[in-house]
């Protein structure tokens, strides 16, 4: 079972027959720049009341995509191919596309039903048992990002699936949520005139249960000398929907109190990338912070001798902070740390090798332990074409052996190789993109897996 993350399924408007998500780079850019370009994705009052069907999921994301704050969303073709390569027959694999706008609970119930149908169908297939293993087939869930929460909800919704599940592999799943969701709901607040379509993303996300399900559930709001959890009233104050926040919190609290652990859970966790881990809020404006807060053994805030909470940068995958990606109800059976960006976790060759290994019941080493030498990549959310911007590397003190390149996102054709240099005690490169469009930045650092991130170039006058 392959379960994608948020915005990881193509969506079709059943009324108009038009694709509303999973667009080509050119159409996607135009959609974000039109005032009504994302209107079809807004959850309607009928849909909030459970009358669904207007929007239909048609398959996993097959082309690169981009959204403000979430940045790049890579397609799932490589993951699908990797899974098919180690399964007995194509009938053994189900790609579970779903309407990611809806709540995790709704999609979890749909996944539970689909998983049971798929398992029963595969067990009746002539190739479901091999000559050397006559045991009945069982499920293996491969879930990226929010797909891990949907998988968790499916197994909680249908407990009878657990004994029929051999393993669950999650790739960058925000079990404890992500501060990025709060940043998205805050939109353009605190910024000068908007140059990016963040206001469209905020207006869309404020209607979506799926985004509210991704809000952080851990203590992440710095308030003086205390650190608090994000409550529904505060979510409303920063731009979210109170009712959706209340529903998300109730669902998360029920999940946390159940003590239910995913069966044979393996978590692939991105590290070494600059990642928002906490925040402060001033006059309704979210101020992202790139540090978490230390806890004592009794799970209380650790403080220095002056009573100030101790901060520590734990990093992550650029979207999900490191400790939020595996600290679910019961720790994962094993955790594999890889220095990758969130969107590339389901596409990178190292992560795919691990997925294949779990399916074939052999777990390889993913490389040397994580250390200060792991390379991180930091690029802007969006840039203007023909304007220079700074590509920043972290975790390195010497550019030797590191190469950067910029590619067209859809074709992966290399366009340029920026020259790395020192600037203000950091290593990076100046980059200028030639025209509006979606691009992929790639960083190769010796034997380590390449780090990639998608970036959108928009004309300043397109946002109208």
């Amino acid at each position: 079972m392959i379960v994608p993350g948020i915005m990881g399924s193509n969506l079709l408007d059943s009324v108009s027959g038009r694709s509303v998500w999973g667009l080509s780079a050119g159409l996607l850019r135009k959609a974000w720049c039109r005032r009504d370009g994302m209107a079809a994705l807004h959850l309607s009052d009928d849909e909030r009341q459970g009358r669904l069907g207007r929007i239909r999921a048609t398959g996993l994301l097959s082309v690169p995509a981009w959204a403000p704050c979430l940045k790049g969303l890579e397609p799932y073709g490589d993951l699908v191919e990797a899974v098919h390569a180690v399964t007995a027959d194509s009938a053994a694999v189900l790609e579970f596309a779903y309407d990611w706008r809806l709540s995790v609970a709704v999609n979890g119930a749909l996944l539970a039903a689909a998983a049971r149908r798929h398992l029963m169908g595969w067990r009746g297939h002539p190739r479901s048992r091999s000559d050397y293993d006559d045991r009945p087939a069982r499920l293996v869930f491969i879930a990226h990002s929010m797909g891990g929460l949907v998988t968790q909800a499916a197994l909680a919704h249908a407990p009878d699936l657990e004994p029929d599940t051999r393993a669950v592999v999650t790739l960058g799943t925000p079990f404890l949520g992500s501060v990025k969701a709060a940043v998205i709901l805050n939109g353009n607040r605190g910024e000068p005139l908007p140059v990016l379509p963040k206001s469209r993303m905020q207006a869309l996300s404020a209607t979506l249960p799926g985004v509210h399900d991704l809000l952080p559930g851990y203590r992440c709001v710095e308030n003086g000398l205390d650190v608090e959890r994000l409550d529904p009233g505060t979510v409303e104050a920063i731009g979210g929907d109170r009712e959706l926040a209340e529903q998300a919190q109730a669902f998360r609290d029920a999940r946390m109190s159940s003590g239910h652990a995913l069966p044979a859970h393996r978590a692939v966790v991105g590290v070494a990338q600059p990642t928002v881990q906490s925040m402060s809020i001033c006059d309704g404006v979210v101020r992202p912070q790139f540090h978490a807060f230390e806890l004592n053994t009794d799970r209380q805030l650790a403080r220095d001798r002056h009573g100030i909470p101790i901060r520590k940068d734990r990093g992550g995958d650029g979207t999900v902070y490191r400790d939020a990606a595996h600290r679910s109800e019961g720790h994962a059976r094993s955790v594999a740390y890889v220095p990758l960006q969130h969107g590339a976790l389901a596409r990178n060759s190292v992560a795919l090798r691990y997925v294949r290994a779990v399916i074939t019941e052999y777990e390889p080493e993913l490389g040397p332990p994580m250390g200060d030498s792991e390379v991180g990549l930091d690029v802007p959310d969006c840039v203007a074409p023909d304007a220079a911007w700074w590509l920043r590397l972290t975790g390195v003190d010497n550019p030797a052996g590191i190469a950067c390149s910029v590619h067209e996102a859809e074709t992966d054709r290399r366009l340029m190789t920026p020259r790395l240099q020192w600037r203000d005690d950091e290593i990076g490169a100046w980059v200028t993109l030639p025209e509006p469009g979606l691009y992929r930045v790639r960083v190769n650092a010796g034997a380590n897996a390449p780090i990639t991130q998608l970036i959108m170039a928009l004309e300043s006058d397109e946002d109208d």
Side-chain angles (χ1 to χ4, degrees), residues 403-449:
C404 294
S405 55
V406 179
H407 306 245
E408 289 181 346
E410 290 187 301
T411 65
D412 209 36
R413 181 173 67 90
R414 180 182 296 191
L415 299 177
M416 63 189 75
T417 305
R419 183 177 64 85
L420 291 173
Q421 57 184 280
W422 282 95
R423 189 194 75 157
D424 298 333
D425 296 325
E426 63 183 22
I427 295 174
W430 288 106
V431 180
T432 302
L433 299 177
E435 59 185 8
L438 188 61
Y439 298 85
R440 180 178 292 109
V441 177
R442 177 175 288 125
V443 176
N444 290 282
N448 293 326

Side-chain angles (χ1 to χ4, degrees), residues 70 144-145 171-174 178 180 268-276 314-323 325 338-345 377 451-453:
L70 290 176
H144 177 232
S145 190
L171 307 165
T173 290
S178 172
K180 272 282 185 79
V268 178
V269 177
V271 296
Q273 310 308 309
T275 305
V276 176
R314 295 285 289 163
D317 61 21
T319 295
V320 180
Y321 134 68
R322 170 178 177 160
D323 296 328
V338 289
L340 298 174
Q341 290 277 338
H342 184 78
L345 277 168
L377 171 63
I451 302 167
T452 63
Q453 180 59 278

Side-chain angles (χ1 to χ4, degrees), residues 378-389:
D378 186 25
V379 301
D381 192 33
C382 184
V383 298
D386 297 324
W389 51 274

Side-chain angles (χ1 to χ4, degrees), residues 257-281:
S257 63
S258 70
H260 182 79
L262 292 170
H265 179 204
R266 281 86 159 186
V268 178
V269 177
V271 296
Q273 310 308 309
T275 305
V276 176
Q277 300 153 59
S278 61
M279 60 182 166
S280 62
I281 301 174

Side-chain angles (χ1 to χ4, degrees), residues 292-306:
F293 294 91
E294 292 283 285
L295 298 179
N296 293 320
T297 54
D298 59 0
R299 309 301 294 170
Q300 298 300 309
L301 278 176
R303 300 176 183 272
D304 64 17
R305 61 189 181 90
H306 302 292

